[in-house]
């Protein structure tokens, strides 16, 4: 067994990226993500990679587009307001079928908002990381070890499906330290990047990376092909964790840091004899429909818990589709609920 | 469920986050689950600083510590803020050089230690945080000194190895105070 180390989520993410072959990082500092850029700035030059602090988030995402076109593993990271700036570039990356990893350590919004943890960018991450028909895979780790594992998975999925992948964390996950073991990280088989613009050596036709298609017939065909890929991702890549769902009357649905608070509240409720379970989506897109669909037949109600005014709750309602009431409880603006506060919500909804 | 939820609080620059990291590392070496969550933002630059550390036999849910079992307070604003929140049966260790009052609570154990003055008298300036840790270890028995010394070796970067002995000295001083 290798030795465990104690690292912040931000630093662990950066180290995991370097270990799985990320050689290029373009960023621009913003709280509460800055330690990630800082770690990259220190480590990349020592380990044969490139770190560049761009003049803006917009510049950084376009540098990601350039590096991804050349076939290298590339990443950028930011927090909420910075991600809004990157959205144009992310749409171009999606439209060019380019693999890359984008990190959002969410903070309160809208606008400059605050710097404390939030989950109010769920809609942006899962619905509209830019204009046009398109998606990015969105992964939402809940522990620092899971940050490490999902970072590796993010790079692998990006290469397998030729798509941007977002890691959606929050300020607390970025800032907190937990023990991690880099040896435990599983890997996927990735295809060769024969589409990359690496120079023809006068031995093959030019590869072209582009998102401009003037002929509507061509564009429709390309988008439809991309959606066939999305269907495969939805069928094969959804990830979630379930706890205590065998006999559940009330199902908590929460992701990331909120899922940890929900787990604490669930354990407190169980000690009081309340049949409470938890479904924790790990992929937010594709949204894990299976466990919620199954539980819709048996559970009496659902309670979606988020650090927002209610965003993921809409995906839960789409799956449950009227078969049981789906309630929502959230805090926003950088506030986190306590387990006791959530337990009171659970008790109220179960009529206790 | 056996978990110890700790809040360490004081001014930026007193080594609050480092002291918390030391306890988290000690917990890790003792094969416990641990989490360390700092306050972050403008308070890092001269204002109050605090960190929440949980050491637990079980998987750690929320990393927040709204009601600590243990409070280590190194300044008055932190003492005033967190003292009422400590769980009944909990432990408060505070630096009586900097906090000119004590807790009126009768449902918690209260330990005063003249940490900042002791540090200055013993030529251990800046190590009041480690004196506090020593006092806390003695009062709580959470970890033995050896585990904490091994954790210290993990926390002190090689560039500051010269400070290792002074840190150990400060911890022992607090432990025997």
């Amino acid at each position: 067994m290798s030795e465990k180390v104690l690292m912040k989520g931000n630093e662990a993410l950066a180290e995991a990226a370097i270990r799985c072959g990320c050689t290029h990082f373009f960023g621009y500092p913003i709280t509460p993500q800055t330690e990630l850029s800082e770690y990259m700035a220190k480590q990349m030059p020592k380990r044969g990679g490139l770190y560049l602090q761009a003049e803006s988030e917009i510049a950084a995402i376009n540098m990601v587009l350039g590096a991804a076109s050349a076939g290298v593993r590339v990443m950028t990271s930011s927090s909420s307001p910075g991600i809004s700036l990157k959205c144009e570039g992310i749409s171009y990356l999606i439209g060019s079928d380019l693999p890359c990893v984008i990190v959002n350590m969410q903070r309160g919004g809208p606008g400059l908002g605050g710097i404390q943890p939030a989950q109010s960018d769920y809609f942006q991450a899962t619905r509209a990381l830019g204009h046009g028909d398109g998606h990015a895979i969105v992964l939402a780790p809940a522990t620092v070890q899971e940050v490490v594992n999902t970072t590796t998975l993010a790079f692998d999925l990006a290469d397998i499906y030729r798509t941007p992948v977002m890691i959606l964390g929050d300020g607390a996950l970025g800032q907190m330290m937990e023990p991690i073991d880099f040896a435990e990280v599983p890997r996927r088989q990735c295809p060769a990047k024969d589409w990359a613009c690496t120079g023809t050596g006068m031995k093959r036709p030019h590869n072209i990376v582009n998102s401009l298609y003037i002929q509507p017939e061509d564009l429709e065909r390309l988008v439809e092909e991309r959606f066939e890929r999305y269907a495969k991702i939805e069928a094969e890549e959804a990830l979630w964790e379930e706890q205590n769902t065998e006999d559940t009357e009330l199902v908590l649905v929460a992701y990331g840091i909120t899922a940890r608070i929900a787990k604490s509240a669930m354990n407190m409720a169980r000690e009081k004899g309340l049949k409470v379970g938890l479904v924790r989506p790990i992929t937010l897109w594709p949204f894990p429909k299976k466990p919620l669909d199954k539980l819709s037949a048996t559970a009496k109600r659902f309670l979606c818990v988020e650090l927002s005014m209610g965003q993921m709750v809409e995906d839960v309602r789409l799956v449950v589709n009227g078969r049981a009431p789906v309630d929502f409880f959230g805090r926003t603006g950088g506030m986190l609920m306590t387990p006791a506060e959530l337990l009171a919500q659970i008790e109220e909804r179960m009529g206790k | 469920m056996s978990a110890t939820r700790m809040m360490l609080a004081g001014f930026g620059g007193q080594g609050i986050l480092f002291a918390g990291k030391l306890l988290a590392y000690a917990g890790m070496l003792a094969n416990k689950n641990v989490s360390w969550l700092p306050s972050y933002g403008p308070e890092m630059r001269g204002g109050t600083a605090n960190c929440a550390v949980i050491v637990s036999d079980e998987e750690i849910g929320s990393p927040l510590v709204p009601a600590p079992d243990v409070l280590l307070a190194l300044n008055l604003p932190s003492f005033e803020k967190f003292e009422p929140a400590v769980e009944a049966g909990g432990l408060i260790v505070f630096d009586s050089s900097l906090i000119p009052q004590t807790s009126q609570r009768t449902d918690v154990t209260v330990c005063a230690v003249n940490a900042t003055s002791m540090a200055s008298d013993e030529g251990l300036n800046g190590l009041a945080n480690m004196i506090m840790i020593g006092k806390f270890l003695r009062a709580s028995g959470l970890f033995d000194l050896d585990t904490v010394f091994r954790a210290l070796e993990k926390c002190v970067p090689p560039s500051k190895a010269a400070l290792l002995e002074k840190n150990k000295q400060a911890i022992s001083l607090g432990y025997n105070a």
Side-chain angles (χ1 to χ4, degrees), chain B residues 6-138:
Chain B
M6 298 176 274
M7 174 61 69
L8 294 85
F11 287 122
Q14 282 180 313
I16 301 292
L17 302 187
F18 180 83
K21 186 177 171 181
L22 177 63
L23 293 176
Y25 247 116
M28 195 175 88
L29 293 179
N31 290 318
K32 307 278 188 187
N33 293 298
V34 299
S35 69
W36 174 98
L37 178 70
S39 57
Y40 63 88
E43 61 265 60
M44 281 168 71
R45 291 160 188 92
T48 57
N50 67 65
C51 70
V53 178
I54 302 176
V55 175
S56 176
D57 290 325
E58 318 284 331
E59 182 187 358
I60 295 170
S62 172
L64 302 180
V65 176
D69 303 307
V70 175
L71 169 65
L72 267 66
L74 276 89
N75 71 3
L76 186 59
S78 302
F79 183 82
E80 286 174 334
K81 184 175 176 188
F82 295 111
E83 183 257 357
V86 175
E87 286 277 4
L91 170 66
I92 298 174
V93 182
F94 72 100
D95 186 342
S96 49
S97 321
L98 303 175
I99 300 167
Q101 62 186 65
T102 185
S103 177
Q104 300 305 314
R105 290 183 58 172
T106 52
D107 60 342
V108 295
T109 306
V110 181
C111 286
V113 57
N114 244 328
T116 297
S117 306
M118 283 167 70
S120 145
D121 293 347
E122 300 291 329
L124 297 167
N125 280 324
L127 292 173
N129 60 341
M130 293 297 107
I131 294 176
M132 294 282 290
I133 290 286
K135 185 74 180 176
F136 158 71
L137 292 172
R138 184 65 172 266

Side-chain angles (χ1 to χ4, degrees), chain A residues 16-25 40 44 49 73-75 155:
Chain A
I18 296 172
R19 286 187 187 225
C20 76
C22 174
T23 54
H24 290 66
F25 179 90
M40 285 296 195
M44 277 295 205
R73 283 197 153 180
V74 56
M75 180 163 89
F155 278 100

Side-chain angles (χ1 to χ4, degrees), chain A residues 168-190:
Chain A
L168 192 68
D170 64 82
L173 195 60
Q175 294 294 326
M176 68 186 287
M177 282 200 272
E178 284 184 314
I180 44 173
D181 186 344
F182 285 102
E184 281 177 6
V185 184
R187 296 299 304 268
R188 296 272 290 265
Q189 191 78 32
C190 294

